Amino acid sequence: MTEPEPVLMALHEQHYKLMWQGLKKHEFRRRYMEGRPTRWFVYLTAPLARLTAVIDLGPPVVDVPDRIAAIAEQAQAGNGARVLEYLKGLDRGFAIPILRVSEYPGLSIEDLRNELGSFQPPQAYIRLRRHEHLLAVCEKFAAETPTRQLSVRHR
């Protein structure tokens, strides 16, 4: 199996909470890496402003917007239309299956700035293999014992 690509991902808290409620089983993207699993180190945006979780994702489903929207609709009634609108004008979209969510006590933005010297939260995501010091901080954070975990079941 291909080693997951480590990524620092910025997420809004409301989307993160949907995972814990069992209402979000895929992440939908207009652009993404193809053909490999990813491991997201999740930075929740303001007002939390905190590195708080690791999400393991399977390889993305890459397909036409109608089929990606159908995946969204199957997971949550009404979500297909939102995803279809999000993918409007594209030839293809990405449905990335969420496999496991692990939450940790985490690191505040101040902690990250102290550890790294400076830290700007990502606007979307950062591929961490290109940022060794940041990757090391993320791996150290994820070596702690999670405060809670969730395995996501896919039909």
Side-chain angles (χ1 to χ4, degrees):
M1 183 170 166
T2 306
E3 184 180 332
E5 178 75 22
V7 171
L8 177 62
M9 177 64 67
L11 284 182
H12 294 286
E13 184 181 19
Q14 68 265 25
H15 301 293
Y16 178 69
K17 284 182 176 180
L18 291 173
M19 293 176 200
W20 290 104
Q21 295 167 2
L23 298 174
K24 184 169 179 64
K25 296 182 178 194
H26 289 83
E27 180 69 24
F28 298 97
R29 295 285 164 161
R30 295 171 58 89
R31 294 185 320 255
Y32 202 69
M33 297 168 271
E34 288 188 50
R36 68 180 307 165
T38 48
R39 185 167 203 226
W40 286 2
F41 295 91
V42 177
Y43 179 84
L44 292 179
T45 59
L48 290 178
R50 183 168 201 80
L51 181 64
T52 195
V54 174
I55 301 175
D56 294 307
L57 300 113
V61 174
V62 184
D63 211 330
V64 297
D66 286 341
R67 290 205 180 125
I68 298 300
I71 292 169
E73 186 66 25
Q74 182 181 20
Q76 185 179 4
N79 200 33
R82 286 189 291 275
V83 169
L84 193 57
E85 179 63 26
Y86 172 65
L87 298 175
K88 189 175 183 176
L90 299 178
D91 294 332
R92 65 187 192 153
F94 296 80
I96 312 159
I98 298 165
L99 304 177
R100 176 185 300 275
V101 183
S102 302
E103 188 173 271
Y104 299 86
L107 298 169
S108 70
I109 191 167
E110 294 83 12
D111 294 336
L112 289 163
R113 286 179 175 152
N114 288 339
E115 183 77 27
L116 296 164
S118 68
F119 176 76
Q120 277 303 113
Q123 293 297 314
Y125 66 90
I126 297 170
R127 294 177 75 168
L128 288 170
R129 289 194 206 283
R130 300 174 183 167
H131 304 273
E132 291 180 26
H133 193 102
L134 182 54
L135 175 58
V137 168
C138 289
E139 286 177 340
K140 180 180 172 187
F141 140 83
E144 301 292 323
T145 302
T147 54
R148 62 180 175 162
Q149 287 187 304
L150 171 71
S151 290
V152 178
R153 294 182 185 204
H154 293 271
R155 292 181 212 157

